[in-house]
Amino acid sequence: MADNNTHFKPFVAPQMNMKEFTFKSIFLGCIFGIIFGAATVYLALKAGLTVTASIPIAVIAITLGRRFFKTTILENNIIQTTGSAGETIAGGVAFTLPGFLFLSTPAGASYFNYITILILAIFGGILGTLMMIPLRRSLIVKEHGTLPYPEGTACGDVLIAGEKGGDFAKTAFYGLGFAFVYAIFQKIFHVIAETPFYMTKQVNKFWPSARVSADITPEYLGIGYIIGPRIGGVLVGGGVLAWLGLIPLLATLVPADSIANQLVKLGYLASITTPGGQGNWDPATHTFANYSAAIYYAYVRQIAAGTVAAGGFITLIKTIPTIVSSFKGSISSLGKDKDAAQGKDVPRTERDLDIRIVAIGSLLLVLLMAFLPQLPGNSIGQKLLIGLLVVIFGAFFVTVSSRIVGLIGTSNNPISGMTIATLMATCLVFLAVGWSGKVYEPMALVVGGMICIAAANAGGTSQDLKSGYIVGATPRHQQVALFIGAIVSSIVIGFTIKFLDKPTAQMVANGVTEHAIGSTYFPAPQSTLMATLIKGIQSQNLDWQYVVVGVFLAITMELCGIKSLSFAIGAYLPLSTTLPIFLGSAIRGVVDHKQKKNKVKLTAEEEELGKGNLFATGLVAGGAVAGVVIAILAGIDSVGPTMAKLNFEEGLTHAMGQGGYFALAVAFFALMGWILYRIARQQQQKMPS
């Protein structure tokens, strides 16, 4: 393997002694990890998407640190390193562990408790960082000129720019404040409708039960702007096909009784003679109040599950050459790195934690998983097998994840594909040793969940180590900071995910009585998919005919040159989620077009520090954090009833009619979009020279 590092010099020289691993840097990093971890849980459950937190944390750390805490650039790097662990772990947790709720038996749901979530989040986060310790020199140092690690490089440049001067965070704080005010008017006072919609009637001869809706929130608008028009368009394309194509078609072809029977089979309706369920079934008239929702849950979600599974596998298959070369290169380089062991002659910027910690830590993880009673398994032998599978799959997919994000960035990391592959391989191992049936479903989800968390955290860890390499950080300080960030943020991630699962008074009034996760409020698309796959393999309880349709839909998209995984997630999510994201991405498209027309060329770092990106980041963080805070307040018995009295929705609807109330909400959302556009069109932030 070629060493592409010969002439590289970090911003802070190895021989310089500068404050780095301090109490204030760890403390501030933990605070940011808690905030962005909670926000990521909210976004992942609601939209099935996450956005990287490293750059926003770095931007805020620069401003607050310089103004109030007199932090150095290395301390700011520790702040963003510690804080980013919360975001990556939160995404892995929210994408998998709510799947306990959707397994075949109530015993599976019993593992969806705070302690089990906390243990798995900590173990997965530690595993992801642990396995990256021996890989740092081979991936980050030796291939510095080959693997760009785009987010890590951008974050390092932002930290250096902040050290040179420049007030980057002001625009982000404006976005955060705007999102908070907007969320208060929307989620507490209900002056702004949360989900305006238009739906054609079932008796419409041309387009029955088509539904257009949008959750017009700040975080969705911000996500759309950040991901851009290409991904935003593909996402909403899946939703358009599902809600404006497949659902009207099935509404024409499938009788209401057949839809109801399918909902009963899937557990969305108690019985054919019981009213309620998805779509609000009326057994007396044999009709649904909402045919769109009924058909979506009965058929479209299963088709889309097949599309997501196939999209994940296709993404994984396309990266096989990278996977193979990455794994071989990383393993072969480990034997050459003995000179990087701890020692007095090793420069500060090359000091990693001792590789023995990896072996000891892995062994401890296996033993803890074997003996902790909170994890599924009927015997120590069963739990030992789970632990071994976690370490084996973890070592492989951490290596894969770390290399892939170095090439294509964290946002394009095929975590879903890796998790699906892990789940299917685990289930096949279970079947090979005679473990078939519903009782083994939670065990399979534990393996998949921990690998998802580990792979996600490994991708984030790699970007953090790249940032540290650029600015001249001490690797072992970053690695310890990542362990601390993983543990602290996991404490709050488990709390947040359990609290969001508790239905509020408004949810109960709308028929959500047991779990908010899995409902239209928090669809948790990846988690429901993972549970569906496990049940299908272990219990043969899957309608494969619908899944196969989804598989070929993904293949069709790939043949058309479209990334099928983004399209599949769009088909799986409600259109109300993907439509506002698309509108945000459309604003980004217009801004980019104007810049191109005016021949404005920006570097990647200047693009990250552009006012549009920073304001959008504030919208995402502010909207998501406000959503979490308001959900928690609404769930407190002494506060919830008071908040309910502040709801103006009924009065406004009575005065303006439903159409007028929705029009008012759309006007507010349009105003927010116009403000985002105007700010994005202002002069871009320039990197100080």
Side-chain angles (χ1 to χ4, degrees):
M1 181 183 294
D3 191 340
N4 297 288
N5 179 45
T6 308
H7 304 293
F8 176 77
K9 293 182 180 180
F11 182 75
V12 178
Q15 60 271 22
M16 270 191 77
N17 289 318
M18 182 184 291
K19 287 184 179 180
E20 182 176 7
F21 192 82
T22 60
F23 174 79
K24 62 183 174 183
S25 64
I26 292 295
F27 178 77
L28 289 172
C30 288
I31 295 297
F32 287 130
I34 289 169
I35 293 171
F36 280 90
T40 300
V41 168
Y42 181 85
L43 288 173
L45 293 176
K46 198 167 179 66
L49 299 166
T50 63
V51 291
T52 181
S54 293
I55 293 173
I57 292 174
V59 168
I60 297 171
I62 290 166
T63 302
L64 294 183
R66 188 168 66 239
R67 187 163 299 175
F68 300 109
F69 301 101
K70 309 301 180 186
T71 51
T72 67
I73 184 174
L74 297 187
E75 285 180 306
N76 288 335
N77 181 60
I78 289 293
I79 292 172
Q80 74 84 16
T81 297
T82 310
S84 66
E87 176 257 333
T88 54
I89 293 172
V93 169
F95 285 163
T96 53
L97 299 190
F100 283 124
L101 295 173
F102 314 121
L103 298 178
S104 299
T105 63
S110 68
Y111 291 107
F112 188 70
N113 61 74
Y114 176 78
I115 297 299
T116 302
I117 293 171
L118 175 66
I119 291 171
L120 294 177
I122 292 175
F123 283 8
I126 288 176
L127 181 66
T129 300
L130 205 61
M131 295 295 181
M132 262 303 297
I133 292 173
L135 297 175
R136 189 195 69 85
R137 281 186 57 80
S138 60
L139 295 181
I140 307 298
V141 178
K142 291 192 172 184
E143 295 206 51
H144 176 63
T146 306
L147 297 176
Y149 286 97
E151 290 95 344
T153 299
C155 190
D157 290 334
V158 167
L159 288 166
I160 293 171
E163 188 71 7
K164 292 179 178 179
D167 189 2
F168 302 113
K170 186 183 295 184
T171 307
F173 283 121
Y174 286 156
L176 194 146
F178 186 95
F180 248 97
V181 174
Y182 187 101
I184 289 170
F185 276 97
Q186 184 176 55
K187 299 178 184 298
I188 295 180
F189 296 116
H190 294 273
V191 172
I192 306 171
E194 293 193 41
T195 312
F197 70 89
Y198 171 77
M199 184 170 66
T200 62
K201 295 181 179 180
Q202 174 64 13
V203 295
N204 188 302
K205 292 183 179 180
F206 303 101
W207 207 25
S209 296
R211 181 183 174 98
V212 178
S213 58
D215 293 333
I216 49 175
T217 62
E219 59 269 25
Y220 286 172
L221 189 74
I223 287 174
Y225 188 91
I226 291 169
I227 66 176
R230 176 64 181 171
I231 298 175
V234 173
L235 270 174
V236 81
V240 167
L241 176 66
W243 289 85
L244 305 182
L246 292 178
I247 288 176
L249 176 64
L250 293 171
T252 303
L253 299 175
V254 184
D257 284 356
S258 298
I259 299 171
N261 281 317
Q262 178 69 6
L263 289 172
V264 171
K265 177 182 178 181
L266 296 174
Y268 292 121
L269 181 63
S271 72
I272 194 74
T273 59
T274 305
Q278 295 295 345
N280 198 5
W281 169 248
D282 186 345
T285 60
H286 292 261
T287 59
F288 290 96
N290 186 340
Y291 275 87
S292 293
I295 295 170
Y296 170 69
Y297 282 97
Y299 303 108
V300 173
R301 283 233 308 191
Q302 294 194 84
I303 295 171
T307 313
V308 174
F313 261 121
I314 290 169
T315 305
L316 199 60
I317 290 169
K318 287 163 72 175
T319 55
I320 280 179
T322 303
I323 291 171
V324 173
S325 63
S326 138
F327 195 71
K328 288 171 63 178
S330 300
I331 296 301
S332 65
S333 69
L334 293 182
K336 304 174 185 178
D337 291 338
K338 294 179 181 178
D339 58 335
Q342 291 298 323
K344 293 182 179 178
D345 297 330
V346 178
R348 176 184 60 79
T349 53
E350 294 181 19
R351 294 175 187 168
D352 292 278
L353 289 174
D354 197 308
I355 195 169
R356 287 173 292 185
I357 292 176
V358 180
I360 296 170
S362 300
L363 179 61
L364 280 175
L365 280 178
V366 173
L367 293 176
L368 285 170
M369 291 186 69
F371 289 100
L372 283 173
Q374 290 84 2
L375 301 183
N378 297 323
S379 67
I380 292 176
Q382 288 183 353
K383 292 185 176 184
L384 277 173
L385 178 59
I386 294 175
L388 288 172
L389 288 174
V390 164
V391 171
I392 292 169
F393 286 131
F396 178 73
F397 282 121
V398 161
T399 303
V400 170
S401 176
S402 300
R403 179 90 182 200
I404 287 176
V405 301
L407 292 170
I408 59 178
T410 306
S411 301
N412 298 308
N413 195 5
I415 295 295
S416 295
M418 297 180 199
T419 308
I420 291 168
T422 300
L423 284 174
M424 298 190 76
T426 301
C427 289
L428 291 175
V429 170
F430 284 4
L431 294 175
V433 297
W435 295 359
S436 62
K438 301 176 181 179
V439 68
Y440 299 104
E441 292 175 2
M443 296 167 60
L445 186 60
V446 164
V447 178
M450 282 192 61
I451 297 308
C452 183
I453 297 165
N457 195 41
T461 296
S462 303
Q463 303 289 359
D464 293 333
L465 292 173
K466 182 72 166 186
S467 302
Y469 181 65
I470 290 170
V471 302
T474 309
R476 69 179 178 187
H477 288 163
Q478 282 191 281
Q479 290 155 357
V480 173
L482 284 160
F483 286 134
I484 295 171
I487 294 169
V488 172
S489 60
S490 294
I491 294 171
V492 180
I493 288 167
F495 171 79
T496 304
I497 204 168
K498 285 297 293 180
F499 220 107
L500 292 178
D501 186 47
K502 181 182 177 182
T504 63
Q506 182 185 356
M507 293 179 187
V508 173
N510 291 327
V512 179
T513 55
E514 291 189 32
H515 298 284
I517 295 176
S519 70
T520 54
Y521 295 95
F522 297 108
Q526 282 88 347
S527 294
T528 53
L529 169 65
M530 303 307 171
T532 299
L533 289 173
I534 292 171
K535 289 188 293 184
I537 297 173
Q538 288 295 123
S539 305
Q540 300 299 307
N541 192 33
L542 198 62
D543 289 324
W544 287 103
Q545 66 272 34
Y546 304 121
V547 175
V548 169
V549 171
V551 169
F552 281 98
L553 183 58
I555 292 172
T556 302
M557 291 300 108
E558 290 288 340
L559 292 174
C560 293
I562 296 170
K563 290 184 178 180
S564 58
L565 188 56
S566 297
F567 182 88
I569 292 172
Y572 197 90
L573 288 168
L575 184 61
S576 59
T577 298
T578 56
L579 183 56
I581 291 173
F582 169 70
L583 294 174
S585 70
I587 294 172
R588 174 65 174 270
V590 174
V591 171
D592 289 347
H593 174 74
K594 293 281 189 182
Q595 287 180 353
K596 186 176 181 181
K597 187 177 179 180
N598 295 333
K599 298 181 180 180
V600 176
K601 293 184 179 180
L602 301 172
T603 65
E605 296 76 34
E606 288 169 345
E607 188 68 43
E608 291 291 348
L609 294 174
K611 288 193 172 184
N613 250 22
L614 292 173
F615 189 77
T617 295
L619 291 178
V620 174
V625 172
V628 172
V629 171
I630 292 169
I632 290 173
L633 291 175
I636 299 173
D637 294 336
S638 59
V639 179
T642 303
M643 289 178 60
K645 294 177 182 178
L646 300 175
N647 190 334
F648 292 99
E649 179 177 352
E650 186 176 346
L652 287 171
T653 304
H654 179 74
M656 307 173 66
Q658 187 181 68
Y661 180 55
F662 285 169
L664 176 66
V666 171
F668 272 106
F669 188 71
L671 174 64
M672 180 166 57
W674 181 80
I675 291 172
L676 172 59
Y677 172 77
R678 294 293 298 174
I679 289 176
R681 288 287 294 139
Q682 292 175 10
Q683 186 175 358
Q684 296 287 329
Q685 303 273 13
K686 287 290 180 181
M687 298 286 289
S689 57

